[in-house]
Amino acid sequence: MDFTSIEAPRRVERLVTGQPATDGAGVKLTRVLTHELQRRLDPFLMLDNFASDDPNDYIAGFPDHPHRGFETVTYMIAGRMRHRDSAGNEGLLTSGGVQWMTAGRGLIHSELPEQQAGMMEGFQLWLNLPGRDKMCTPGYRAIQSTEIPEFTTPEGVTVRVIAGHSHGVNGAVARPAQQWPTAPLYLDLHFPAGGATFRQPLAAHYNAFTYTYRGCIGIADAVVARHRMAVLDNRGDGVLLQGLPGDEPARALLIAGIPLNEPIAQYGPFVMNTREQLIQAVEDFQAGRLGKD
Ligand code: CO
């Protein structure tokens, strides 16, 4: 397969500026993928970007809270976060590492910074589970930075493959297609300062978006500046990202997945298919049943 040939690259359908938000016990963050984009970017439900060197913005962290019905993927760019959950998992997420948590039928966890000063930067993505898997056994994987497959293209773009596959390299998280109908692709792309092009073949039925977190990148005739999300249209045979020459090397996430096309019912940290299932989730949580089986 020739990875360098993309005949009809996708275009930017919409540029999105994240919204300032506060979550957990007062963590300041930017909500990039908001509720109104859940249908358009199915199977993704949320993307938060936290980035601050002021401990007041992050030190309180995310104390005990529940989840049911989807997966949370936390990618740390800088800093340290301690995870504990009701299934007995505990881990320290450090710079460059990923925590992939499958909430399934439910767990209660905390995510607390383990640093008193310095930069805390990263992302949390919510990936929906198909209805048949929403009540599955909770799962947890801590992936250290060194375990994330990484390669550099001949043009000098360094690619970290968190999920899916790119240029023949399999991601840190991979499951058989029958078990994972959304087949997510999650890449972190580092472009050299002089600019370079990255090509990723991608079937048109995948919903896809990018998020620039350093410098700026070009997609077709659009410039995607720092802290902007670009929703990509569902056409063509792939994605072509251009790291633009600038003062600092550009960095961007490229995230894509196959939509579930199921009803989405959300109440805070519970994402199910129906209102009845949400009521059940709240009742289970209030009765102390969540995370106990
Ligand atoms: Co959480």
Side-chain angles (χ1 to χ4, degrees), residues 79-190:
R80 288 180 298 151
M81 194 103 86
R82 172 75 60 180
H83 165 98
R84 282 192 186 90
D85 69 37
S86 53
N89 300 302
E90 180 173 347
L92 184 63
L93 183 60
T94 58
S95 301
V98 168
Q99 178 204 283
W100 199 294
M101 190 189 77
T102 306
R105 64 175 171 259
L107 46 69
I108 294 169
H109 76 158
S110 62
E111 301 153 290
L112 299 171
E114 248 193 26
Q115 61 186 57
Q116 303 299 317
M119 189 70 192
M120 173 78 81
E121 181 180 11
F123 303 94
Q124 188 169 87
L125 177 74
W126 287 13
L127 168 64
N128 210 354
L129 284 168
R132 62 161 207 230
D133 295 336
K134 283 183 176 293
M135 296 298 277
C136 72
T137 305
Y140 168 86
R141 260 193 78 191
I143 304 156
Q144 302 306 319
S145 185
T146 50
E147 299 174 77
I148 295 177
E150 195 176 297
F151 66 92
T152 300
T153 68
E155 287 200 49
V157 180
T158 297
V159 183
R160 310 194 79 218
V161 190
I162 295 166
H165 47 90
S166 179
H167 295 232
V169 175
N170 288 323
V173 178
R175 295 173 204 160
Q178 309 93 302
Q179 290 173 25
W180 217 10
T182 55
L185 172 75
Y186 191 152
L187 305 180
D188 179 18
L189 305 169
H190 299 190

Side-chain angles (χ1 to χ4, degrees), residues 27 51 77 79 81 101 118 143 151 197 206 227 230 233 256 269 277 283:
V27 178
I77 303 297
M81 194 103 86
M101 190 189 77
I143 304 156
F151 66 92
T197 301
Y206 275 74
H227 296 157
D233 67 9
Q277 293 167 339
E283 283 178 5

